[in-house]
Amino acid sequence: MQIIRDIAMLRRAVSALKQGGKSVALVPTMGALHEGHLSLVRMGKRVADHVVVSLFVNPTQFGPNEDFAAYPRDEARDAALLAQEGVALLWAPEVATMYPAGHSTHIEVAELGADYCGAARPGHFDGVATVVSKLFNQVRADVAIFGEKDWQQLAIIRRMARDLDFAIDILGAPIARDADGLALSSRNAYLSEEQRAAAVALPNALKAAAKAIGSGADVAEALARAEADIVAGGFDGVDYVALADADSLERLGLFRKPARLLAAARIGKTRLIDNLAVD
Ligand code: AMP
């Protein structure tokens, strides 16, 4: 697996991979890789001839009081895992390569980015959309794969690719979960043993709410119960639990398909997100 940090070298390497009409899948990550990331890589291998993974902890998607400096970083471990999966190329630029002095353009997907995590983390999705559009232009892959774990992010990237006519297919990959149901996340590493045990309250509350809403329960009541269950389970606060149109992310007061339950909650200093389809 090649590890590349220079844009000109990246372009040459991707052109070489594409020779003979071969296709390339891009999997953007911030590293601290787990089985969730690796499931995206495996999907990439199924749908394209070569997989390129990007590893970039993007400063512009972190707020001033968020965990940019503390975000777990271990490139050697990540690279070894990706090499084992047969990844062709790891694109791991420095911050100065991604954002040279004077960088002043950003992308805002206004409608989809305002609510939920966008409300709790101002500027977060502008940082995501901007860096992902740069990754698309840098790598020029045929397809990019994102996890359903970050449902709002996936919706935003799909909309951005459509609005800006990016010549790339966007694929969503199912959420990889631990045995007890907690969605895998690089931020789970921040949890103490006690917090990790309590964190299962988040997927459990969503499961119960999805079942209730799918069986005709009142939406507001089901959401209020989920919120109470998350706090009773040991979380310190709930940013939101909402029923949303799965595509437009419009909040739904009455159940109609396709719908998705979206949630974010804080346990200690760690903020966890999760989501679930309602059938
Ligand atoms: P991150 O490194 O957290 O920015 O995540 C990189 C990509 O991996 C994003 O598309 C995430 O949605 C995806 N991802 C993270 N955790 C999971 C998971 N548990 N299951 C599926 N995809 C995931």
Side-chain angles (χ1 to χ4, degrees):
M1 183 179 73
Q2 309 173 70
I3 301 181
I4 296 183
R5 304 183 200 283
D6 172 89
I7 292 185
M9 282 175 66
L10 173 73
R11 290 198 196 287
R12 281 198 294 278
V14 173
S15 296
L17 290 178
K18 285 179 159 181
Q19 254 177 24
K22 297 273 200 267
S23 58
V24 169
L26 169 66
V27 177
T29 81
M30 298 205 301
L33 302 181
H34 49 64
E35 273 298 312
H37 299 108
L38 299 183
S39 73
L40 271 52
V41 169
R42 288 172 202 141
M43 181 179 272
K45 294 209 73 171
R46 287 198 296 276
V47 300
D49 296 304
H50 299 290
V51 177
V52 172
V53 172
S54 62
L55 192 178
F56 182 65
V57 184
N58 176 35
T60 68
Q61 70 189 70
F62 288 80
N65 299 314
E66 292 184 359
D67 56 344
F68 174 69
Y71 198 82
R73 290 168 172 87
D74 189 347
E75 184 186 302
R77 175 186 167 276
D78 291 343
L81 286 171
L82 296 172
Q84 256 172 31
E85 295 292 331
V87 168
L89 192 165
L90 178 61
W91 169 227
E94 299 292 340
V95 172
T97 303
M98 194 61 95
Y99 300 111
H103 189 283
S104 45
T105 305
H106 79 265
I107 291 180
E108 180 189 352
V109 183
E111 188 188 332
L112 293 174
D115 202 352
Y116 314 112
C117 285
R121 305 179 71 190
H124 167 69
F125 286 120
D126 296 358
V128 170
T130 302
V131 82
V132 168
S133 70
K134 287 169 69 69
L135 291 169
F136 286 178
N137 284 330
Q138 290 163 350
V139 177
R140 290 172 301 130
D142 302 281
V143 47
I145 299 165
F146 293 85
E148 292 181 350
K149 158 89 188 328
D150 299 271
W151 189 267
Q152 188 177 13
Q153 168 174 284
L154 176 59
I156 285 171
I157 305 279
R158 283 190 197 284
R159 181 69 61 87
M160 177 186 82
R162 190 201 72 177
D163 288 353
L164 299 183
D165 305 299
F166 277 103
I168 191 165
D169 289 329
I170 310 296
L171 290 184
I175 303 176
R177 296 179 181 279
D178 255 340
D180 66 351
L182 181 67
L184 298 179
S185 164
S186 306
R187 290 191 167 100
N188 292 353
Y190 297 148
L191 302 175
S192 68
E193 213 171 301
E194 196 186 337
Q195 290 171 331
R196 171 62 191 81
V200 72
L202 180 58
N204 283 350
L206 291 186
K207 251 186 276 173
K211 195 166 167 213
I213 292 169
S215 331
D218 179 77
V219 172
E221 268 172 36
L223 297 179
R225 167 154 312 170
E227 201 165 321
D229 286 351
I230 291 166
V231 172
F235 278 79
D236 297 296
V238 173
D239 280 358
Y240 60 84
V241 180
L243 183 71
D245 180 286
D247 303 317
S248 72
L249 304 187
E250 176 200 345
R251 283 190 189 243
L252 298 178
L254 293 172
F255 174 46
R256 64 167 154 80
K257 286 200 238 182
R260 201 91 189 172
L261 277 166
L262 307 176
R266 286 166 282 107
I267 186 162
K269 288 188 173 136
T270 307
R271 185 173 180 277
L272 299 179
I273 60 172
D274 203 345
N275 67 86
L276 200 59
V278 186
D279 289 316

